[in-house]
Amino acid sequence: MAKPFLIYVKQCPVCGDGLCRVRVCHDLQRGRLTGCILCDECETVWTDPTLKQKFLRGKVEGTPCCPDCGQSLWEPNSHWADIPEVCLLGWYDSVQIVRKENRDQIV
Amino acid sequence: MARRTSNDPQAIANVLRLIPAKWLVGMLVALVLYFFLQPKLNAWFGWNLPSIAAMAGNETPAKPASPKPASPKPAQPKSAQQKSAQQTSAQAELASTKATEPRTTEPKAASTKPSGEPTKSPATAKAQDQDDWKYRILKPLGRDRYESPAGLIYAPGSEEGHRLSHIARHLEDQPDRPGSHGVFDGDMAAFLVAIDDAYKRARGHAKGTKSRLEDGMTVYEAPFDQTVGYLGGTEGARKKNPKLKKLRLVLRDRNLITAFPIQ
Ligand SMILES: [Zn+2]
Ligand SMILES: [Zn+2]
């Protein structure tokens, strides 16, 4: 289901068209939530909203992976963060939040 | 037997002598009229009146019919009966024609398709249409992976599940999406052709093209002589959707990650 808000840091410095968005991975085995920044266009992964450090070595080839567990960020245990999760990660001041009124095309 | 046959004409002649001449003339006229009208009446009304030869014993009519067409009383119910019989047979014929219509047209329509291919419902036909451009341009490599003529690989991946579905996002504007969103002006087939063209030229360092490496990814840019799309998203809307004449491709090895028009 589409979330009511689109949360992003900025437009992607790598591809220019994507949005650097907050992705969270819920590691069920260890019971913890990991946040990272993922471009929704070129799939570049950064460890935090400063976009200073990319995460390049995942466990699944050809797919963006979680910097913590290394699993694919497109698996069902990962999702775009909502506002409470962004607050929990301490990144609220680093993101821009757009309300998605009639914005069904923004997933 | 021989005696009987030799006696019959004589018996008839004896009977004829007893009948008045007026009656004989009337009977002859009726006979001549019947001779000429019988086949026509049968043809017009679908009746089954026996011919004079049949009445003489040489032919047997299929159905008992009145030898007196002039008499309206017995003819009426018969004609009504036969008319309804004719209608039923016509309806059956019509029904049989209807039943054979699809049978004759279906194989004709199917003959243009590969043999053994079942007739498609609109939904599956649409799905087939969507696959048509894929197979017309791309070569299937198995496991839902496809190769373009220039050697680009379109494989499963991305949030949409497949790179082809991902780049399809750039066939439409997302006017409320923050920032810029390059929109290709054409269908998927044209987009794939343009991507291949840009890839070949950029890889060959053709004039105006750019390429850079980004931690295992390659970003190519290639200009086009003509407009390939326009700038969408909120940035595009703000700038009144300017036309774009460049494509940017993001690849990991030969795998296409994304592609879209840029300024
Ligand atoms: Zn990007
Ligand atoms: Zn994880």
Side-chain angles (χ1 to χ4, degrees), chain A residues 6 8 11 14-19 40-44 54 56 62-63 74 80 98 102-103 105-106, chain B residues 158-159 163 166 169-170 174-182 212 214-215 217 219 248 250 252 257-258 260:
Chain A
L6 180 80
Y8 71 102
Q11 199 132 29
V14 174
C15 68
D17 224 48
L19 295 172
D40 63 6
E41 195 64 63
C42 71
E43 301 181 350
T44 300
K54 284 182 192 168
L56 304 164
T63 198
W74 298 133
W80 298 118
V98 179
N102 305 316
R103 294 165 195 225
Q105 66 270 53
I106 306 167
Chain B
S158 81
E159 190 178 11
R163 300 294 172 194
H166 179 76
R169 294 199 326 177
H170 291 280
Q174 296 185 0
D176 294 322
R177 183 176 159 90
S180 58
H181 176 70
R212 66 186 152 96
E214 278 274 353
D215 298 307
M217 289 197 300
V219 182
R248 180 177 290 156
V250 180
R252 195 174 283 130
I257 305 299
T258 190
F260 43 83

Side-chain angles (χ1 to χ4, degrees), chain A residues 68-83:
Chain A
D68 182 46
C69 68
Q71 295 303 320
S72 169
L73 286 169
W74 298 133
E75 287 301 314
N77 57 320
S78 291
H79 57 266
W80 298 118
D82 55 26
I83 295 171

Side-chain angles (χ1 to χ4, degrees), chain A residues 43-93:
Chain A
E43 301 181 350
T44 300
V45 179
W46 292 269
T47 54
D48 61 62
T50 62
L51 308 186
K52 280 179 183 163
Q53 196 181 344
K54 284 182 192 168
F55 179 74
L56 304 164
R57 285 193 307 271
K59 287 178 184 170
V60 189
E61 207 183 326
T63 198
C65 294
C66 167
D68 182 46
C69 68
Q71 295 303 320
S72 169
L73 286 169
W74 298 133
E75 287 301 314
N77 57 320
S78 291
H79 57 266
W80 298 118
D82 55 26
I83 295 171
E85 285 168 332
V86 171
C87 293
L88 205 67
L89 290 163
W91 293 349
Y92 186 80
D93 290 337

